[in-house]
Amino acid sequence: MKPTFDQLYTRLPDLLAPSMAKDHPNLPVVKEEGCYYYGVDGKEYLDFTSGIAVANTGHRHPKVVEAIKEGVDQLMHGPSGVIMYDSILRVADRLQGILPGNLDCFFFANSGTEAIEGALKLAKYVTKRPYVVSFTGCFHGRSLGALGVSTSKSKYRRFLQPNGLTYQVPYADPKSCPEGEDPAVYCVDQLEKDVEMLFDHQVTPEEVACMIVEPVLGEGGYIIPPKEWLQKVRDICDQHGILLIFDEVQTGFGRTGEWFAAQTFGVTPDIMAIAKGIASGMPLSATVASKELMSQWPMGTHGTTFGGNPLACSAALATLDVIEEENLLENSRTLGAYAVDRLEKLREKHRVIGDIRGVGLMIGIEIVDPVTGQPDGAGMMRVLDLSLEKGVLFYLCGKHQEVIRMIPPLVVSREEIERGLAVFEEAVVAYEKSLAVRG
């Protein structure tokens, strides 16, 4: 007799590595649909994680499901290059129409980390320069190349000795801006000082192949830089012949209210890494650059067996259709602004709520100690757990795991936003009462 799900779940520690299985909240589910997960316990959970910013069109959108079903009747596997097929060419053609600037040529892979690896390899190959500059707090993946530029948490790099051909400068920190000063001016000034220090004392700019940055800090805490800061990063790269890479793995496909954060902030990189929301849950990603750059990256310098899988590309085509037909960019902007406004009002009532940081439906909610105002990771986890008990799933991020990620599917309704925020406030109230009792 086959074991039941419950029986297998009790054997989880024996079956899966802790690094795969032990995340928050390890919720046992049997189905997903739209903005909801359905638990083994029979309970409905409103999902404000989108599978970590993947299900932008909602879970199992009917149009995406139908595209996969139709695709499997034709092809299940490439490999691209050995054979060529319609869906991968159509995805490339469609992406050309929505990406900024001259980003019009693609190397398809499976995951965000792979797209980052491709971007780094392309930049080094084209420039013939050895070094990469990244920004402290950014997360770019956990493979060794990507890990060399990921600094959101030191524990990700522990014992792994990522390569030494990278340097870091601080990410924009508007929160540290002195009172009365313009955060944009402050952040740009700090960047200029930090880069000058780097180039004076650690590496010459002529040796730097690229700078890589998340246009909105993701796993590191959902920090939104002033657009002037990103523009200055672009200017510095142009000044020294350094290629600029945007990691848009999390910010892409409508999350910030435009197709890509590059358009939200008005800054176009030389290379972009895209993934997550590209195919509504099917494994697909891409390293994107101009034909001019890509033409310098000849056959054999990079490769893939599964990248650009026909079914994933079919799902991507349907995903692009849904985002356009259902006006999800507008929904992201409108409901994102609405949610931030509601959260700011809650912040006035509850001292455990710190900064509210949002662009589109990419929203961070900081939880702080109500007495000291310092980041409170333990408190954040308690609010997450209390929210889950009441049927709403959020996720976490931040240096001290003090920030709640609110990243619902872009198909979310105003009523679902209201429900999620009502539950969030109930969780905050319950947590505050527990603090009063302990006090």
Side-chain angles (χ1 to χ4, degrees), residues 100-122:
N102 62 347
L103 298 172
D104 59 1
C105 199
F106 307 89
F107 185 99
F108 289 105
N110 307 283
S111 68
T113 300
E114 288 178 75
I116 294 296
E117 293 282 352
L120 296 174
K121 287 178 69 175
L122 173 62

Side-chain angles (χ1 to χ4, degrees), residues 60-361:
R60 297 180 63 248
H61 191 286
K63 188 156 190 171
V64 176
V65 172
E66 185 59 30
I68 295 169
K69 287 180 177 178
E70 290 180 1
V72 79
D73 286 336
Q74 306 300 322
L75 289 167
M76 284 186 64
H77 173 56
S80 65
V82 176
I83 62 171
M84 193 47 61
Y85 40 93
D86 182 75
S87 59
I88 193 171
L89 297 174
R90 289 190 183 278
V91 170
D93 180 64
R94 289 285 298 279
L95 289 174
Q96 282 186 341
I98 65 173
L99 280 153
N102 62 347
L103 298 172
D104 59 1
C105 199
F106 307 89
F107 185 99
F108 289 105
N110 307 283
S111 68
T113 300
E114 288 178 75
I116 294 296
E117 293 282 352
L120 296 174
K121 287 178 69 175
L122 173 62
K124 287 192 172 190
Y125 192 93
V126 168
T127 63
K128 308 298 188 289
R129 298 177 178 186
Y131 295 105
V132 176
V133 174
S134 65
F135 291 81
T136 305
C138 285
F139 178 81
H140 301 293
R142 292 186 175 93
S143 60
L144 280 176
L147 194 63
V149 291
S150 291
T151 56
S152 57
K153 291 182 178 68
S154 59
K155 68 179 181 181
Y156 297 154
R157 301 159 64 95
R158 191 181 185 195
F159 305 134
L160 296 176
Q161 297 87 38
N163 76 74
L165 300 179
T166 65
Y167 295 92
Q168 282 75 43
V169 293
Y171 197 84
D173 184 13
K175 191 174 180 180
S176 68
C177 178
E179 188 174 352
E181 290 191 29
D182 183 336
V185 174
Y186 171 78
C187 289
V188 168
D189 287 346
Q190 288 298 119
L191 174 65
E192 289 178 325
K193 292 174 184 175
D194 293 332
V195 170
E196 182 179 9
M197 181 75 71
L198 175 73
F199 289 161
D200 280 349
H201 297 283
Q202 296 189 72
V203 63
T204 64
E206 294 79 16
E207 297 175 282
V208 176
C210 58
M211 288 188 172
I212 181 169
V213 65
E214 289 182 290
V216 177
L217 199 65
E219 206 269 346
Y222 272 38
I223 294 171
I224 303 166
K227 66 179 181 180
E228 294 87 352
W229 184 83
L230 285 170
Q231 290 167 349
K232 178 54 67 173
V233 174
R234 173 76 273 180
D235 291 344
I236 290 167
C237 288
D238 289 341
Q239 181 182 350
H240 298 289
I242 296 169
L243 296 177
L244 176 59
I245 300 173
F246 270 12
D247 177 345
E248 293 242 25
V249 170
Q250 188 167 174
T251 53
F253 298 94
R255 182 54 56 186
T256 66
E258 301 290 346
W259 280 110
F260 299 97
Q263 292 145 334
T264 300
F265 292 93
V267 178
T268 301
D270 300 293
I271 305 171
M272 189 184 287
I274 57 177
K276 285 192 181 285
I278 191 173
S280 298
M282 293 291 284
L284 186 66
S285 68
T287 300
V288 190
S290 67
K291 286 188 285 291
E292 179 185 1
L293 283 182
M294 283 291 194
S295 65
Q296 300 175 57
W297 205 24
M299 186 180 71
T301 52
H302 200 43
T304 179
T305 297
F306 294 102
N309 171 270
L311 295 183
C313 288
S314 294
L317 288 168
T319 297
L320 297 174
D321 286 343
V322 171
I323 293 173
E324 290 176 342
E325 292 167 3
E326 299 187 13
N327 298 314
L328 297 189
L329 302 184
E330 175 63 26
N331 203 51
S332 178
R333 291 191 296 268
T334 301
L335 291 187
Y338 176 74
V340 167
D341 182 66
R342 290 275 286 106
L343 285 163
E344 289 290 358
K345 289 181 171 63
L346 292 180
R347 181 173 179 257
E348 294 172 2
K349 296 164 55 179
H350 302 285
R351 294 177 62 191
V352 300
I353 300 177
D355 273 359
I356 305 298
R357 303 188 281 262
V359 55
L361 281 169

Side-chain angles (χ1 to χ4, degrees), residues 353-395:
I353 300 177
D355 273 359
I356 305 298
R357 303 188 281 262
V359 55
L361 281 169
M362 186 174 184
I363 300 168
I365 309 164
E366 184 186 36
I367 302 299
V368 298
D369 184 292
V371 177
T372 66
Q374 294 301 304
D376 185 0
M380 189 281 307
M381 288 301 299
R382 187 62 186 140
V383 173
L384 277 192
D385 289 339
L386 288 167
S387 296
L388 187 66
E389 289 174 14
K390 298 173 184 295
V392 180
L393 177 63
F394 293 95
Y395 198 55

